[in-house]
Amino acid sequence: MSVAANAQPAAGDDAVERGVRRSLANRITDDHSIDPMRELDQLLSVVGLDSAAAGGSVTFEGRDPIIASPLPLASMAGVSLMAKAVAAADLWRLRTGEGQDLSVKLGQVL
C-alpha cells in the first residue's frame, strides 16, 4: 500500500475545495471580480512580506478574464510570478539598498 493512499487531507484542503466550487458556481463576468494587488499582498503576508518589500512600484497590466474560464487564470499565474519577483527584489534591496519597479502583463502570462 502506498503512503499516498493513507494520507489525510491537509487542513486547508477543504477551504481550497470550497473556493474552487465557489469559483465554478460564480463565473467571472467582469474585470472587477478579482484584484491582483489584494491577492498578492494576501499571498505575501504568509511569508511576512508585502508588495512594498520590492522597494519600488508593483503593477499588474490587464485584468481577468483574459480567456473564457470560471477561474481567474491570468491573475493566479501573474500573482504567483509577482510574488517570486517581490521576494527576489526584497533580497536585492537588502543587499544593495536599491528597490525595483516590477510589472506583469496578465495577457502574456498564459
Side-chain angles (χ1 to χ4, degrees), residues 38-63:
R38 181 188 68 229
E39 301 299 326
L40 175 65
D41 280 328
Q42 183 179 17
L43 176 62
L44 289 172
S45 71
V46 173
V47 294
L49 294 174
D50 61 21
S51 55
S57 65
V58 175
T59 58
F60 291 90
E61 297 179 34
R63 295 189 70 98

